Amino acid sequence: MSTAAVAPLLATVATAVSEAIGRVRPEFAGADPVVRRSERADFQSNAALPLAKRSGEAPNRLAAELTGVIADPAVAEVRPSGPGFLNITVTDAALWTQLAARLGDARLGVGCPEHGQRIVIDYSAPNVAKEMHVGHLRTTIIGDGLARVFGFLGAEVVRANHLGDWGTQFGMLIQFIDENPEQPWHADDLGADSAVSALDGLYKAARARFDADPGFADRARARVVALQAGDPATVARWREIVAESEKAFGAIYDRLGVLLTPDDYAGESFYNPMLAETTAELLGKGVAVPSDGAVVVLSEQVTGPDDAPAALMVRKSDGGYGYDSTDLATIRYRIATLRADRLLYVTDSRQSLHFRLIFETARRAGWLTDAITVDHVAYGTILGPDGKPFKTRAGGTVRLMDLLDDAVAAARAVVAEKNPDLPAAELDAIAERAGIGAVKYADLSTSRVKDYMFDPARMTAFNGNTGVYLQYAHARIHSILRKAGEPDHARVDTAAPVEPAERALLLALDDFAAVLADVAATLEPHRLATYLYDLARTFTTFYDTCPVLTAPEPARTNRIALCRLTARTLAHGLDLLGIAAPARL
């Protein structure tokens, strides 16, 4: 199987237009050919308009000149249109040749444009001893999707799960656990999910006692000091709590099908030994300054409501460190030690100011240079049916596992209605794939910067822009292929004519590589989700218009090949979104 990239037809056409520009107007050689897909032809070039403006001539005249010199074996026809557009149609043979080339390539013709890039993606980041909740869903799903896309495009991806596993709250929790040994909280006794629920409950009880009992509060503070000083018994208990929490995180990740593993965990505790030296470096470079016993970085770009510079707290007046300190040590480590070329922080939009200040400080310190790209991949909120941030009926935070259970239950009802004779075990397996896929697709099919409503009934529907619809479309194509009984290899007659519905599908399939490049450039996974939905609809039009199994040769062979490439593209695209694509549904 070939592993070489297959140049999209758009790139081929763009090259032909660019070469024509150089021949007609040498002074504009290398200018953007401005080629895009078009509803009036296969492609359209708008290059004549900006070039004519620069040269002071009529754009339609320049377009007419270009028409006569655009030459490439893949180009069948060029027609000027309107004030200076060029409508370009490619040959039938070029379309079939592209189909054969993509079918014959293990990567579907997609190259590795991100090769050589080392990208650190910070996502998920749950807190130890607390349950993962609805607020962790978007960071986990979006981060996983970006990790998959960048990895496929050739980047070396470092998945960084920045666990909240350090701080004063652990002294409080450890002291409470030691004083209440009758309270079970280990996974061996309760199961991973229940264990972290128990720890969450114990923390809330510890907090209440801390606030009400001065004696306990003093003992808890002493336990914090013991933890920070490395007291063996305290550290051992802390490690137990972390391990139990990680089991619960793993259960969520396994169910969601995300790539995170324990090897990707690097909690706040990991950076704790680096805080003092990070502070010293910032002070030494004059980036941080003393302020009333604390150490702060005063922004040169952002001011607060009182017009005073916004500040990062590098070290507190009591000598302690907090969230700002850890994130500064983290970005310093990722650049200096991990040698990242690009940093992505997938967190909600409410943290935009925080990361703006972190990035500014890193630049002023000389850690973040022009050779390194950094982005805060911000996202919106998940809303409930009332259009407000998703909460339980009692107003509490929704557990992530409960949210997934609701989606799987909704999927089970839909699948059972459509296939009432399915055995229970098979129904459960299908419902799990469909429900989890529905949750992930609902998130990833929405622009990440927007809020969206969590509605299990809508997101598990077989119709409309849903993950279940795409899974069903993929399974339907496999049903066609099973009936065809053709061997799994690329057989394409490039001399055959192309029907309009075939042309639309062939051109849509040819867009796959460009869409993935667009996701990498914009950090917007919904562009891939939208592409897959449009591809599935385009296939439906093709299948309704062009008989496959009953078609005469060579149309039958070519259409089976079209079905095969569509199924592979849908499956691979869904996999890059972290969604299962079963051959039967």
Side-chain angles (χ1 to χ4, degrees):
M1 298 279 274
S2 168
T3 56
V6 177
L9 285 170
L10 185 146
T12 300
V13 170
T15 298
V17 174
S18 182
E19 291 174 350
I21 292 170
R23 287 193 291 270
V24 171
R25 294 289 188 276
E27 66 274 23
F28 295 144
D32 186 352
V34 198
V35 175
R36 64 184 183 186
R37 287 281 304 279
S38 172
E39 294 181 357
R40 295 193 171 121
D42 295 338
F43 302 97
Q44 184 179 85
S45 170
N46 298 348
L49 279 74
L51 294 180
K53 186 175 182 180
R54 288 167 61 183
S55 62
E57 59 188 304
N60 56 355
R61 178 181 172 185
L62 178 55
E65 288 186 55
L66 290 172
T67 300
V69 296
I70 293 176
D72 188 276
V75 174
E77 183 179 52
V78 183
R79 288 186 178 182
S81 174
F85 305 130
L86 294 175
N87 290 334
I88 303 168
T89 302
V90 297
T91 66
D92 293 356
L95 289 165
W96 290 129
T97 299
Q98 284 291 93
L99 171 65
R102 292 186 181 280
L103 265 178
D105 184 69
R107 295 177 52 85
L108 303 180
V110 181
C112 295
E114 298 291 330
H115 178 72
Q117 287 285 301
R118 187 173 174 82
I119 303 176
V120 178
I121 306 181
D122 183 321
Y123 65 106
S124 196
N127 292 312
V128 164
K130 293 184 180 179
E131 293 184 281
M132 291 183 70
H133 54 75
V134 65
H136 294 108
L137 181 64
R138 300 210 71 186
T139 173
T140 304
I141 291 175
I142 294 169
D144 186 65
L146 291 174
R148 288 169 180 268
V149 169
F150 276 110
F152 179 64
L153 294 180
E156 181 186 357
V157 176
V158 177
R159 298 182 296 274
N161 195 359
H162 191 79
L163 303 182
D165 68 349
W166 198 249
T168 57
Q169 69 270 27
F170 287 99
M172 184 191 310
L173 177 58
I174 291 168
Q175 188 64 31
F176 187 85
I177 287 173
D178 282 0
E179 293 184 11
N180 296 270
E182 75 283 357
Q183 298 277 6
W185 55 274
H186 286 85
D188 290 343
D189 301 320
L190 300 171
D193 185 39
S194 298
V196 80
S197 296
L199 282 169
D200 201 338
L202 289 173
Y203 171 75
K204 291 172 183 175
R207 177 81 256 182
R209 185 176 295 183
F210 183 92
D211 293 338
D213 182 346
F216 176 78
D218 288 342
R219 294 192 298 276
R221 291 189 188 99
R223 208 58 182 267
V224 174
V225 174
L227 177 62
Q228 293 173 341
D231 172 66
T234 303
V235 170
R237 180 69 78 193
W238 169 76
R239 284 178 175 156
E240 278 188 86
I241 293 169
V242 172
E244 295 300 313
S245 299
E246 288 182 354
K247 290 177 186 176
F249 302 154
I252 290 276
Y253 297 146
D254 287 346
R255 193 173 188 193
L256 280 173
V258 300
L259 299 174
L260 289 169
T261 71
D263 290 340
D264 304 315
Y265 301 168
E268 292 172 347
S269 61
F270 177 80
Y271 302 99
N272 192 60
M274 309 175 196
L275 300 182
E277 63 185 52
T278 300
T279 302
E281 181 177 345
L282 291 172
L283 282 168
K285 291 181 175 179
V287 177
V289 296
S291 175
D292 297 326
V295 175
V296 300
V297 174
L298 300 176
S299 175
E300 296 176 348
Q301 302 174 0
V302 183
T303 57
D306 57 356
D307 290 330
L312 276 177
M313 183 64 68
V314 181
R315 188 177 68 209
K316 301 175 185 178
S317 58
D318 63 3
Y321 299 98
Y323 185 66
D324 293 350
S325 320
T326 303
D327 274 350
L328 287 168
T330 300
I331 194 170
R332 176 175 175 261
Y333 173 81
R334 290 172 178 173
I335 293 170
T337 304
L338 296 184
R339 302 292 181 185
D341 299 299
R342 188 170 190 181
L343 299 166
L344 304 180
Y345 289 80
V346 187
T347 73
D348 71 58
S349 56
R350 292 171 296 180
Q351 297 191 51
S352 294
L353 174 59
H354 169 75
F355 281 109
R356 183 177 175 185
L357 296 175
I358 292 292
F359 301 158
E360 178 195 342
T361 300
R363 288 191 181 92
R364 288 168 59 187
W367 307 333
L368 191 57
T369 66
D370 291 342
I372 302 168
T373 303
V374 62
D375 293 281
H376 176 214
V377 186
Y379 54 81
T381 302
I382 300 178
L383 306 176
D386 58 358
K388 297 178 181 180
F390 204 32
K391 300 284 185 181
T392 64
R393 291 182 180 179
T397 302
V398 178
R399 292 188 343 134
L400 184 48
M401 196 65 88
D402 290 342
L403 182 147
L404 299 180
D405 286 342
D406 289 345
V408 171
R412 195 180 197 282
V414 171
V415 174
E417 182 178 357
K418 195 173 184 67
N419 301 286
D421 299 326
L422 275 177
E426 187 175 353
L427 175 59
D428 289 343
I430 292 174
E432 182 72 14
R433 290 194 299 264
I436 299 301
V439 169
K440 298 178 82 170
Y441 186 81
D443 195 302
L444 294 170
S445 62
T446 303
S447 174
R448 60 175 167 78
V449 299
K450 295 182 179 179
D451 300 341
Y452 78 93
M453 188 175 295
F454 189 87
D455 181 352
R458 183 195 62 79
M459 62 177 60
T460 56
F462 271 90
N463 298 313
N465 189 9
T466 69
V468 177
Y469 168 76
L470 285 177
Q471 288 175 320
Y472 180 69
H474 174 262
R476 181 187 180 201
I477 299 173
H478 272 276
S479 175
I480 296 167
L481 293 171
R482 285 193 296 271
K483 292 176 183 176
E486 290 289 316
D488 186 11
H489 61 77
R491 293 177 55 208
V492 180
D493 185 336
T494 60
V498 177
E499 297 293 329
E502 292 172 324
R503 179 175 291 273
L505 183 55
L506 285 160
L507 288 168
L509 290 165
D510 199 53
D511 285 339
F512 187 48
V515 169
L516 296 183
D518 195 29
V519 172
T522 63
L523 306 176
E524 285 275 19
H526 84 275
R527 295 172 187 258
L528 174 55
T530 299
Y531 167 78
L532 296 174
Y533 176 61
D534 290 342
L535 178 64
R537 291 198 304 167
T538 302
F539 177 83
T540 297
T541 300
F542 153 76
Y543 189 67
D544 290 345
T545 306
C546 301
V548 175
L549 301 180
T550 60
E553 294 294 357
R556 184 180 188 276
T557 296
N558 282 10
R559 289 172 186 174
I560 289 172
L562 256 175
C563 291
R564 197 175 302 286
L565 183 59
T566 303
R568 284 182 58 192
T569 304
L570 284 173
H572 191 68
L574 286 170
D575 182 67
L576 291 176
L577 297 177
I579 297 172
R584 299 176 188 268
L585 189 65

